[in-house]
Amino acid sequence: YLLDPRIWHGRMPYYARLISESTNGLMGNIWGFIDGTYRRTSRPIRYQHLCYTKFKKCHAVKFQSIVTPDGMISYLFGPFVGRRHDSRMLTESGLMEVLQQL
């Protein structure tokens, strides 16, 4: 259910209007915000080097989501290893191609 942002297609104009009103018209075509959520985990037994990130100095998994102005998660993709950069998650998820079709 959360892998298909087309289910939110009917609410996108409403969310864009809310964001536009709260920013005095500066952001008129934005309906949600991409978030790279970082969740810490305990150290895994195998392949721990993949989950360890030197930036946060801990083990973690990451998820990519789109959060709407009312706090709903309208898209969720993952998990990814903790070392994965947000821009690479965006490329691997194919989200930009889906949004361009909408």
Side-chain angles (χ1 to χ4, degrees):
Y1 184 73
L2 290 175
L3 287 176
D4 190 5
R6 289 179 289 229
I7 56 178
W8 298 91
H9 188 262
R11 301 219 15 114
M12 287 179 187
Y14 170 71
Y15 292 142
R17 186 171 44 85
L18 287 177
I19 294 172
S20 178
E21 288 172 0
S22 67
T23 60
N24 294 326
L26 293 176
M27 296 185 230
N29 59 350
I30 296 174
W31 63 272
F33 302 95
I34 297 177
D35 179 33
T37 303
Y38 186 84
R39 297 289 174 211
R40 293 177 187 238
T41 62
S42 60
R43 187 179 69 175
I45 295 171
R46 295 184 186 100
Y47 305 111
Q48 58 182 292
H49 65 282
L50 295 174
C51 294
Y52 185 78
T53 174
K54 293 178 184 177
F55 177 67
K56 299 277 186 175
K57 295 183 174 53
C58 67
H59 294 85
V61 293
K62 292 179 87 174
F63 297 89
Q64 182 185 56
S65 63
I66 295 178
V67 181
T68 59
D70 57 0
M72 296 293 291
I73 296 175
S74 63
Y75 176 79
L76 184 65
F77 193 80
F80 293 94
V81 295
R83 303 172 67 167
R84 189 74 69 222
H85 192 270
D86 289 350
S87 62
R88 185 165 173 191
M89 288 192 313
L90 182 62
T91 302
E92 289 182 10
S93 68
L95 177 63
M96 295 305 292
E97 291 79 17
V98 173
L99 292 177
Q100 286 177 352
Q101 292 174 1
L102 293 176

